Amino acid sequence: MAQDDPKTLVSTSWLAEHLKDPDLRILDGTWFMPSEGRDGRSEFEAGHIPNARFFDIDEISDLRSDLPHMVPPVEKFMSRMRALGVGDGHQVVVYDAHGLFSAARVWWLFRLMGQENVAVLDGGLPKWAAEGHSVESQPPVIRDRHMTVKQQHQMVRDVTQVSSASKLGDHEILDARAPGRFAGTEAEPRVGLRSGHIPGAKNVFFKTLLNGDGTMKDPDALRAVFDASGVDLAKPVITSCGSGVTASVINLALERIGKTDHALYDGSWTEWGAFPTLPIATSGDN
């Protein structure tokens, strides 16, 4: 079992012990790939951890962008958190219905907004329910609280910055997608995208950072995964994936091993793969 850290990852046992803390706020950050045919909000309404609120990754985003669930404007994030009753002085715990998947994106977004007291529930709703902890369907009572936001711009990268990092080789670009998509041998789930990866990137499939029960591996095992992928942890890291969701699992893993100089490429392959002028690599290419 991973060591509990309210700034990164907490166990189901930790959450059960703190469930009635007055300043605890629990968020269901479940997000499903369109191909899964499931709806996170509907499943939340059918059953969730007591007092949880639903964090809609697609709606709490920059809807002006053609790209999916891009980082929202600060003002929108603040207003949505007020509506959810999440604000200054709260300890936030985020979970999802997969185990550990989209909750990491919500964790990263909070960190980007300067919020440090936020953790992912290790193993998520599946582990919580499997252990016999209570699940409810009634909505929580929400009281407004202001949130002070100071965006940490160093935690996010755009396509120009990633292109520069790819050319200069001064960052490790880590791609969380499955090996077939990274190699370009498996078609992208989004129509119209080229197959392959950013030149110079290394593949760290997000599932290799997890145990079979959806919990995150311990720090020593995480370091072994990065080492096996040829990652030079002395360099700053930029993470990427399909649309900026599973990349955040790598960011969380890096934070767990004490590496703090990491950022996420928000547009990820949905942006890079759509631009015919941007170079791509396939198979064993660098």
Side-chain angles (χ1 to χ4, degrees):
M1 182 184 295
Q3 184 176 357
D4 293 318
D5 174 13
K7 295 181 186 299
T8 55
L9 197 68
V10 295
S11 64
T12 48
S13 298
W14 185 96
L15 183 58
E17 291 172 10
H18 293 270
L19 198 59
K20 296 186 183 300
D21 288 3
D23 283 328
L24 178 71
R25 293 294 180 268
I26 305 169
L27 298 179
D28 183 327
T30 299
W31 177 83
F32 295 110
M33 289 285 291
S35 60
E36 293 180 85
R38 297 171 65 181
D39 180 69
R41 186 180 291 276
S42 296
E43 294 193 17
F44 166 81
E45 291 171 352
H48 52 260
I49 294 176
N51 293 316
R53 300 106 201 270
F54 186 69
F55 188 105
D56 190 333
I57 287 176
D58 283 330
E59 198 283 325
I60 305 175
S61 67
D62 187 354
L63 298 180
R64 301 167 301 181
S65 174
D66 293 332
L67 298 169
H69 42 253
M70 294 287 281
V71 170
V74 167
E75 296 77 11
K76 182 175 184 179
F77 183 82
M78 291 172 65
S79 69
R80 295 299 187 269
M81 292 310 97
R82 179 185 286 274
L84 290 175
V86 180
D88 293 343
H90 285 148
Q91 169 64 52
V92 177
V93 174
V94 193
Y95 73 89
D96 63 53
H98 291 88
L100 205 166
F101 181 69
S102 54
R105 168 72 186 196
V106 181
W107 168 84
W108 172 81
L109 189 55
F110 268 79
R111 294 294 294 269
L112 177 68
M113 296 297 176
Q115 306 299 307
E116 293 195 350
N117 295 323
V118 55
V120 171
L121 180 63
D122 203 22
L125 185 61
K127 192 170 190 291
W128 177 266
E131 293 172 347
H133 297 296
S134 61
V135 174
E136 64 182 25
S137 58
Q138 62 261 41
V141 176
I142 292 177
R143 297 178 179 86
D144 283 3
R145 187 181 292 193
H146 173 74
M147 176 180 285
T148 304
V149 169
K150 185 177 181 181
Q151 191 164 356
Q152 306 299 302
H153 298 284
Q154 75 280 5
M155 290 188 64
V156 66
R157 294 288 183 269
D158 63 23
V159 66
T160 302
Q161 293 167 317
V162 176
S163 179
S164 175
S166 173
K167 292 172 184 174
L168 295 175
D170 56 353
H171 289 67
E172 287 284 36
I173 301 173
L174 305 183
D175 191 323
R177 293 176 301 156
R181 290 173 64 189
F182 178 83
T185 58
E186 180 183 326
E188 285 295 305
R190 288 181 173 82
V191 177
L193 296 184
R194 299 173 298 161
S195 296
H197 58 266
I198 299 166
K202 293 173 181 173
N203 192 202
V204 180
F205 183 28
F206 81 97
K207 288 186 178 181
T208 64
L209 301 168
L210 307 177
N211 298 306
D213 63 353
T215 57
M216 183 162 276
K217 293 179 176 178
D218 64 52
D220 286 342
L222 293 175
R223 289 188 189 93
V225 172
F226 289 122
D227 185 59
S229 300
V231 178
D232 180 0
L233 290 173
K235 291 182 178 181
V237 171
I238 299 171
T239 65
S240 180
C241 59
S243 64
V245 174
T246 58
S248 59
V249 178
I250 302 180
N251 293 88
L252 179 62
L254 290 168
E255 199 74 20
R256 290 289 290 175
I257 65 172
K259 184 170 177 61
T260 58
D261 54 342
H262 53 83
L264 184 147
Y265 172 25
D266 202 22
S268 282
W269 196 254
T270 302
E271 181 175 42
W272 192 282
F275 274 100
T277 56
L278 289 171
I280 62 169
T282 56
S283 300
D285 297 343
N286 290 322

